[in-house]
Every structure is written in structure tokens, then in C-alpha cells.
Amino acid sequence: MDSYLFLAAIGPVQSFIASARRTGDLQFGSWLLSELAKAAAKSIADKYGRDSLIFPAPQSIADLAENTELSVANKIVALIDDSPQDVGKAVRIAINTRLHSIKNRAYKDMGPIEDVIANKQIDDLVEYFWVAAPYNAQDYVVTRTKLENMMAARKNTRDFRKVDWGSNKPKSSIDGQLESVIPDNKYNQRGDSKEVGEKKAKALYMNYEAKPAEYLSGVDLLKRRGHALLNRSPVENFPSTSHMAALPYLERLNLLPTTSVPQIQKIWNEYVTELGRIALSPNLEQIPYTFSPHAILGKYDGSLLFEERLVDMVDASSLSPTDKAKLENVKQKLHSFYKEVDDILGKGHPSPYYAILLADGDRMGKVIDNQKGEKGHRQVSQALDTFARGVQKIVKKYQGALIYSGGDDVLALVPLHTLIACARELSLSFYNELKRGGFQDKDGNKPTLSVGIVIVHHLDPLQDALNLARAAEAKAKSVDGKNGLAITVSKRSGIDYSVVGSWGKIDTYLDQLLPFCIADNIPDGTAYELRHLALRLGVPQEDQLFDMTQKAIQAEAKRILDRKLAPLTPEKKKEVMDVLGPKLGIEGENLNANKAGNIKLVNFTNELLLAQLLADTHKIAYQKKEH
């Protein structure tokens, strides 16, 4: 009987994930694609055995069952002994079966919808491609390369058919392409009384998790309603971006003396009670059951700490004068909460920034090509599976929220006060797991993990933030020799800036800067003055002018630092300059003119700005005023 190497790909990946408006939608989209890939892999393993699977390579077939903790990438590689056409059809049936099983559970107890359109939209959701080639054990690498080329060609010759579910109904508010399937009469209509409008707004939120003017397609509802399937919880199962930004402040609340906790809890409970009376849903946003309740906030999501998020929880457009007065009362209670905490710990409100972490393994294709046949590829897959299983534990250790971990890919939300430590441990875990298996490419290079991070405002659109994270990952992957780290800061004021380099260099230097920034040994204005210097003098292209300009930059940078660090003791100033000086060619009190040409002042100021941002978050989390 002939053997074939079979390759299947399931999508769309980026477009499906990127269309998420909320973190819960984002996590569910990632989880759904993993579930469909597991269904595909299971249909092959059930017929040909677990060892037929090359990627993924689960520890048991049971790991591929529905709703297990295993995450699987959207690519399946396997050895089969039957007609590829028959296997391709069987895999498609398995994918559709699991998709509709998930859809049926997600839609359960939901309000009425346009069922026919919704089902057709979901049927049209998944892209599935497969290719196969005759297999010879001696030509594994050649055959796998051929399959990858065939898959690329297959994806470029897609099948298109007439869309038969289109209508003149309003388009989805999420992607603007699919039609809404929520009946029109569920929305506020012209002529509806204020009372009717309020009831409809609350019913939309309770039955469809939609806001008053938010139109959702069948696919949107699958994401929006499906998040509860991940942990069988009736509330939001994934922390919001606002909660991620608030986590350093929640850490700060843990510094409260035990005797003060009851009073702070009382003020907090009064605040959420008043908010619940005018909110669209009496169930205010809550963190998932996998997160431990906070001593003060309990199970409430950190978004409730941000006054600007209150408009998301009430229908501000339909509030009566009485309710508007109640909303102002809610805001005053939040201010009272902050004042009470500030009086005890010192002033320190939540930072509005959080991080998205996106990681990818380096040289994995070359490492796989260097293995001896499918057995070696399967061993690499098993090592990647072991790493992926440990990612959840690492991310949770640093108070992050994992969106996806499959193979060598990681996507997570992380608070700023634990960001560098979390990213570093992920990088080390990946390197050590692949090193343990002795895997390398033909040149002897061991696999490493490049990490792209973007720090963004908690109210920035999620799609935009994800695009910035992908751009940061691309910068990390462009580092010579890989093992890259790229951190982009995108604040609402000022231009975006990035810090790019290798693990062991960038993170180590940030570790050196942080203690000085936390202790305010480096004034906040230092980096901005140095950046202004770089922008003001510029970099001439002519060699002679370049040399003169660099020496001028070096001398002026030293003058700025001498002025900024003047309040420090001589001993402390030396400590600081021992860290800052080498970047500027400053040795002790002297300028090394021979190193002036190596100064990269913009890069240096970006590192300093980043260190100060991380230090500010550290202060929020861990510093309190001395009594």
C-alpha cells in the first residue's frame, strides 16, 4: 500500500483573530482555530494511530479531544496509507462537526436570530486546504519541502463561489462585511419611548452581549457568546485590556494595612452597587475564575477603576436626568475610593498602559530540515508541545493572560510591572526545551525565541494594537542572529519609539537602568533633553561633518548629564554614570573622542524612556509613602 505525506492548513488565522474588538473575542478566536486543528489531527490519529501524526505530536489522542488544554497550530503534518482524497474529505467533515458543536453550545439560550443566514456565514468561515505527496522515508526533507511549495500554490488558487447569504440588512459593526443576524426589532426604533429603548438596550446586552448600536453577524455572535465555553463561566472569561493596565495598581492595594482593608472594601462596594443600578447589565465585568479574587476588588475586572470606562457599562445616550445625576454620584464614589487609598499609601493611580507580547521561534524550518526523517520532526514537535504546555504557567506566574500558545507561537497580554521578567522566562524556557533535545540547524545554531512587545493605551483599538505587536515581532526577527527582543511604546501623546536588540543585551541594560529610575536618580526630563539634542543636531552624511557632529553631541550629552545628575552625591553619580557613560563614550569624567562615532543617541534615549516608563509602573505597584 502506498504511503503519503499529508499536509493540511486551516484558516483564516490573522484576519479571524484580528477582527476581535474585545479581549474575550480575541481569545475565543484563537481557541476556536486550535480546536478545529485538533479535530483535524484527531480524525487522522483515530484512523492511523497517534504515531501517524508528525505535527502536532500529542502525548495521547485524548489530548486532541474537544476542550482540552492542548493548543495546536493551524497546520497538520501526518503519514497516511489511504487515498489522500478520502483523508482530505474526512478531515473536512471532522472540522465541520466540531465547528457546529461549538456553535450550538455558544448559541444555546441566546435570543432569536436569522438562523439560516447565521449558519451559512459560519459554514463559510473556515478555509481548509490540503496537499499530499507519495512518501519515501529516505526523502523526508525533500518531500516536506515539496509539500510546502504545493500548499503555497494551492492557497493561491482558491475556490470561490457565489455568496448566497447576502441581504440588505445592516453590516456587522465588527468587520463591516457580514450581515447582522440580530432581528431589527431588537434595536431601538424611531418612535420607541425612552422606557422601551432602555429595555431593548439591556435586552441586547443580556441576550447577545451587544451594545445598543452594535450589529453582530453569526460569526461575531459565535465569538461573543463562545467565550464562556472556555471555562463554562457565565461571565466574561478573559480580563480586559483595562484590567491588564490596572494590575500594577491592584498590586499596590495589597500594600494596604490589614486594619484599613474593611473601610476600603466598604467604599468599593458602595461604588459598584451604585454603578450596577444604572449599568446595562447587573453583572458588571468580572475576571475569569482562573484569576484569584482580589482582596479589595473581589472578582470585578480592573476596568471599573477607570472613569473613562464607565460609559461602556451604561447607555449614556438614553440616561434620564436622574440617571445622569446617579452617574455623577458613581464617579464621586470612585474618586472617594482613590482618595482613601492615597491618604494611606500616597498618590498613585492606575497606569493606562499594558503590553501585548508576541513571540515566535527562530530558524525552526531549518532545524526541522536538519532532522533525520519524520521521527526527528516528530521529536521537535514533541519538544514544542512541551514548551507550549508550560507557557500558560509562566504567563500566569507574571499575572498575564495567555491568548494563544501553539508550537513556537505565543500571544499574551502582560502587565507592565512584570513584563520583562515574563518575556525573559518565556525565551529561556523555549531555548532550554529545544536545547534539551539537542536540536539545531545544519550550521550548529540552536533555536531561540524572538519576542515582539508593544506597550499601548488600554483604550486603543485592539486591531491597531495587534498590528503594532506584529510589527514589533518583525523587528525582533530582523535582529542579526535572531534571539531578538523588540519593544515598541505607543503612547497617546508623542511619537512611537522602539528598543530593538538581542536577549542578554537589551533586557540586561534595562535591568541596570531600572533601579536608578525607580529611585529618581535619573530625572524624568533627562531622556527628553537628550532626544531633543539628537533631533536638533541631526547626523550629516559627509564623513568629516559626521565626526565633528558626533563629538559635539558627545560633549553636549555630557553637559546635560552633569547638570541633571548634579543633586546626587559623588558616589551615586559615579554609579549612574558607570551605566550611562559607556553608551555615550564617556569614561569617568572624560570624553573618549575615539568612541564618538559609535554614539547612537536616539537608541539610547529610547532605552532610557522605556526604563522610566517601566519604573513608573514599578512605583505604582510596590512603593508607598513613608509615615
Side-chain angles (χ1 to χ4, degrees):
M1 184 177 294
D2 293 334
S3 294
Y4 294 87
L5 194 60
F6 182 88
L7 171 63
I10 302 167
V13 180
Q14 297 299 344
S15 60
F16 186 57
I17 294 174
S19 63
R21 279 275 186 90
R22 308 189 316 186
T23 54
D25 299 348
L26 179 63
Q27 189 207 27
F28 178 76
S30 302
W31 174 83
L32 175 62
L33 289 171
S34 174
E35 285 295 299
L36 300 183
K38 284 195 294 185
K42 189 174 185 297
S43 69
I44 295 173
D46 283 342
K47 185 168 186 178
Y48 302 105
R50 180 177 65 89
D51 290 341
S52 65
L53 291 175
I54 299 172
F55 186 85
Q59 296 176 6
S60 71
I61 296 180
D63 289 335
L64 300 172
E66 191 168 345
N67 216 16
T68 61
E69 293 184 0
L70 178 66
S71 290
V72 173
N74 68 316
K75 180 186 293 186
I76 310 297
V77 181
L79 285 174
I80 60 173
D81 294 326
D82 285 336
S83 162
Q85 288 80 5
D86 293 341
V87 175
K89 291 177 182 178
V91 170
R92 179 77 210 202
I93 291 172
I95 292 172
N96 286 347
T97 300
R98 186 164 298 189
L99 174 62
H100 280 274
S101 171
I102 292 171
K103 185 269 294 185
N104 291 337
R105 289 191 291 134
Y107 279 18
K108 186 178 180 182
D109 300 325
M110 187 173 64
I113 61 170
E114 303 285 349
D115 292 301
V116 174
I117 296 176
N119 284 327
K120 288 182 177 179
Q121 289 175 344
I122 289 175
D123 285 338
D124 206 38
L125 168 65
V126 178
E127 293 180 353
Y128 164 62
F129 306 98
W130 67 265
V131 292
Y135 175 66
N136 183 315
Q138 282 70 43
D139 297 325
Y140 176 76
V141 174
V142 174
T143 306
R144 192 181 70 82
T145 302
K146 179 181 179 181
L147 276 185
E148 295 287 356
N149 293 334
M150 291 169 62
M151 178 59 74
R154 177 63 184 89
K155 287 183 176 181
N156 287 326
T157 54
R158 300 184 182 185
D159 299 323
F160 294 95
R161 62 180 178 81
K162 180 181 178 181
V163 173
D164 58 2
W165 40 258
S167 72
N168 59 359
K169 289 181 65 64
K171 295 289 187 180
S172 160
S173 301
I174 305 299
D175 64 13
Q177 299 179 24
L178 302 179
E179 282 72 20
S180 172
V181 296
I182 301 176
D184 293 341
N185 62 9
K186 300 299 178 182
Y187 295 90
N188 198 2
Q189 304 290 318
R190 183 179 298 178
D192 285 346
S193 66
K194 189 174 185 63
E195 292 73 17
V196 170
E198 290 176 355
K199 288 181 180 179
K200 285 185 174 181
K202 291 189 176 183
L204 271 171
Y205 194 86
M206 294 298 295
N207 294 329
Y208 307 101
E209 298 191 31
K211 293 179 182 178
E214 190 175 39
Y215 293 90
L216 301 178
S217 68
V219 175
D220 298 332
L221 286 171
L222 177 63
K223 294 180 185 178
R224 192 64 59 86
R225 297 272 305 180
H227 60 69
L229 302 180
L230 276 67
N231 59 15
R232 302 179 180 85
S233 169
V235 298
E236 181 70 36
N237 81 306
F238 199 79
S240 66
T241 57
S242 301
H243 186 80
M244 281 292 116
L247 279 170
Y249 187 77
L250 298 190
E251 193 73 33
R252 179 181 188 80
L253 294 178
N254 293 333
L255 300 175
L256 287 166
T258 306
T259 54
S260 303
V261 170
Q263 175 61 14
I264 302 296
Q265 284 177 327
K266 178 175 180 294
I267 298 173
W268 175 258
N269 290 335
E270 290 174 353
Y271 161 62
V272 295
T273 298
E274 290 299 317
L275 177 58
R277 288 172 178 162
I278 59 173
L280 285 169
S281 168
N283 297 322
L284 298 176
E285 289 192 66
Q286 297 185 24
I287 55 175
Y289 78 103
T290 51
F291 279 54
S292 301
H294 188 267
I296 304 296
L297 272 66
K299 294 291 288 184
Y300 287 108
D301 190 275
S303 58
L304 273 63
L305 286 165
F306 294 95
E307 183 177 322
E308 60 265 34
R309 282 294 313 275
L310 298 182
V311 295
D312 295 333
M313 302 172 201
V314 301
D315 181 14
S317 63
S318 65
L319 287 180
S320 65
T322 301
D323 284 339
K324 287 180 180 178
K326 290 179 180 178
L327 179 58
E328 290 303 314
N329 182 51
V330 168
K331 293 178 181 179
Q332 286 303 315
K333 288 191 177 296
L334 179 59
H335 295 164
S336 298
F337 171 80
Y338 279 129
K339 183 179 184 306
E340 192 78 17
V341 175
D342 289 349
D343 288 344
I344 300 170
L345 298 179
K347 192 168 183 179
H349 289 192
S351 164
Y353 295 97
Y354 74 102
I356 298 179
L357 182 153
L358 191 59
D360 183 55
D362 301 320
R363 294 183 289 271
M364 290 310 302
K366 293 181 179 179
V367 169
I368 292 171
D369 288 343
N370 195 42
Q371 304 311 305
K372 306 301 181 184
E374 77 278 3
K375 182 179 179 181
H377 188 173
R378 187 179 291 111
Q379 290 171 340
V380 173
S381 300
Q382 290 168 345
L384 292 174
D385 178 47
T386 301
F387 162 73
R389 288 173 183 270
V391 168
Q392 173 77 292
K393 183 178 180 181
I394 293 172
V395 172
K396 186 176 181 180
K397 173 183 174 181
Y398 293 102
Q399 301 180 42
L402 180 64
I403 295 171
Y404 176 74
S405 173
D408 58 340
D409 295 320
V410 178
L411 177 60
L413 308 184
V414 188
L416 298 193
H417 67 303
T418 62
L419 174 60
I420 301 301
C422 180
R424 181 189 289 123
E425 187 163 339
L426 287 172
S427 176
L428 289 173
S429 173
F430 181 86
Y431 178 81
N432 290 332
E433 189 58 48
L434 274 295
K435 179 183 178 183
R436 188 177 295 115
F439 304 116
Q440 59 186 29
D441 64 19
K442 66 178 182 179
D443 297 320
N445 297 310
K446 294 180 175 60
T448 53
L449 189 74
S450 286
V451 180
I453 295 168
V454 63
I455 296 174
V456 290
H457 195 279
H458 71 114
L459 294 183
D460 284 350
L462 197 53
Q463 292 182 39
D464 295 345
L466 287 168
N467 288 335
L468 288 171
R470 293 187 190 98
E473 183 192 42
K475 291 178 181 177
K477 298 284 283 185
S478 68
V479 171
D480 288 343
K482 304 298 180 61
N483 194 31
L485 171 64
I487 305 175
T488 296
V489 178
S490 180
K491 301 185 78 170
R492 287 201 156 182
S493 58
I495 61 174
D496 295 356
Y497 63 89
S498 298
V499 172
V500 183
S502 300
W503 279 107
K505 293 182 179 179
I506 293 296
D507 56 316
T508 299
Y509 193 61
L510 289 173
D511 287 343
Q512 292 176 315
L513 290 174
L514 273 173
F516 297 128
C517 295
I518 291 170
D520 294 322
N521 296 143
I522 304 175
D524 287 347
T526 305
Y528 292 103
E529 286 199 35
L530 292 171
R531 171 179 277 185
H532 179 67
L533 169 63
L535 295 175
R536 178 160 46 92
L537 293 185
V539 182
Q541 298 302 310
E542 295 84 355
D543 291 343
Q544 187 176 1
L545 288 177
F546 173 81
D547 184 60
M548 292 173 60
T549 303
Q550 288 296 92
K551 289 178 180 178
I553 288 176
Q554 186 184 44
E556 180 64 8
K558 183 179 185 302
R559 189 190 68 79
I560 291 172
L561 289 177
D562 284 340
R563 175 167 52 82
K564 287 291 188 180
L565 304 182
L568 303 180
T569 64
E571 294 78 14
K572 181 57 68 175
K573 179 180 177 182
K574 182 180 183 306
E575 285 183 41
V576 176
M577 286 303 298
D578 284 346
V579 173
L580 301 184
K583 292 273 186 174
L584 302 172
I586 301 174
E587 299 172 353
E589 292 295 323
N590 303 314
L591 298 177
N592 187 334
N594 293 327
K595 294 185 178 180
N598 297 325
I599 295 175
K600 295 180 174 60
L601 193 55
V602 172
N603 293 348
F604 172 65
T605 58
N606 289 348
E607 292 166 350
L608 193 50
L609 285 169
L610 175 59
Q612 288 174 329
L613 174 61
L614 296 177
D616 289 343
T617 313
H618 188 281
K619 293 175 188 178
I620 293 172
Y622 303 116
Q623 284 191 357
K624 60 181 179 179
K625 70 179 181 181
E626 296 181 3
H627 296 277

